[in-house]
Amino acid sequence: MSGIIGKKVGMTSIFDADGRNIPCTVIEAGPCVVTQVRTSEKDGYEAVQLAFDEKKEKNTTEQLKGHFAKANTTPKRKLVEFKTFEDVKSLGDTITVELFAEGDFVDVVGTSKGKGFQGVVKRHGFGGVGMATHGQHNRLRAPGSLGASSWPSRVFKGMRMAGRTGGSRVKVQNLQVLKIYPEQNLLVVSGSIPGAKGSYVIVDK
């Protein structure tokens, strides 16, 4: 799977040839630098490590400075390994949005927005009690019954309840590449992707 590291710019919409308004997401994808090539002989597996987004040298550790110096590049913020690439990559190579073509389908991985501790209506889409009659004055967003009575006298594991929501790794599959702007390193894909504006995403081909 070839891929690239990007940053979510935001959402917009475009019209296709049939006049349909398609919601889409703009991603600043690359350019990424190959900072390490892992081999089976040395590392036990094959992978290509890409680096993206400039970082101040004063905020970079000495170990990472040496790591980036081997690839003849400046310090980067985000490092991601890709298991396989369509063609062979060497240390210091640059990967751009030209890796993709309009019409391709890609998978996008990102970290969803953290929403903190939420109830069952927001977290799992419960409908709540619904009716406000017969004394139901404060039960509109309550979870309702949690389990059985005398047996098994406990709540089953996996019961959908209130809790921390969001902030997890999410993959959205089969998003179509609608537009590519190589000059601005921009990739426009159909639909929405996880994360807030400015968050890092991984685009797999």
Side-chain angles (χ1 to χ4, degrees), residues 55-160:
K55 182 179 181 181
K56 290 183 179 180
E57 192 168 338
K58 69 174 185 178
N59 297 332
T60 308
T61 62
E62 293 298 325
Q63 292 85 347
L64 281 177
K65 287 180 183 178
H67 182 70
F68 292 122
K70 290 180 181 178
N72 292 322
T73 185
T74 55
K76 308 293 183 182
R77 288 187 178 275
K78 187 70 172 176
L79 294 171
V80 176
E81 282 190 359
F82 294 86
K83 285 296 179 70
T84 56
F85 252 82
E86 293 178 350
D87 50 352
V88 179
K89 298 297 179 184
S90 303
L91 198 65
D93 287 353
T94 302
I95 312 297
T96 64
V97 290
E98 295 177 351
L99 176 71
F100 305 95
E102 293 184 6
D104 286 348
F105 286 90
V106 297
D107 299 338
V108 180
V109 180
T111 302
S112 61
K113 290 182 179 179
K115 302 180 185 303
F117 193 97
Q118 298 295 333
V120 293
V121 173
K122 187 177 184 70
R123 191 184 192 200
H124 299 295
F126 281 21
V129 174
M131 297 177 62
T133 58
H134 300 286
Q136 304 285 347
H137 67 94
N138 62 347
R139 304 285 296 166
L140 299 181
R141 299 176 70 88
S145 176
L146 294 181
S149 180
S150 60
W151 187 89
S153 298
R154 63 184 175 87
V155 177
F156 286 111
K157 289 183 178 180
M159 178 67 65
R160 292 180 298 170

Side-chain angles (χ1 to χ4, degrees), residues 7-46:
K7 186 184 291 186
K8 182 176 179 179
V9 177
M11 289 198 70
T12 183
S13 62
I14 61 176
F15 290 92
D16 64 1
D18 298 325
R20 293 175 298 182
N21 192 11
I22 303 175
C24 53
T25 305
V26 181
I27 303 172
E28 180 188 348
C32 298
V33 181
V34 177
T35 52
Q36 191 170 4
V37 178
R38 297 193 180 274
T39 60
S40 301
E41 296 78 17
K42 184 178 180 181
D43 304 293
Y45 66 100
E46 294 185 357

Side-chain angles (χ1 to χ4, degrees), residues 4 29 95-101 180-183 185 187 205:
I4 199 171
I95 312 297
T96 64
V97 290
E98 295 177 351
L99 176 71
F100 305 95
I180 297 176
Y181 299 95
E183 300 81 10
N185 300 311
L187 196 67
K205 188 175 181 181

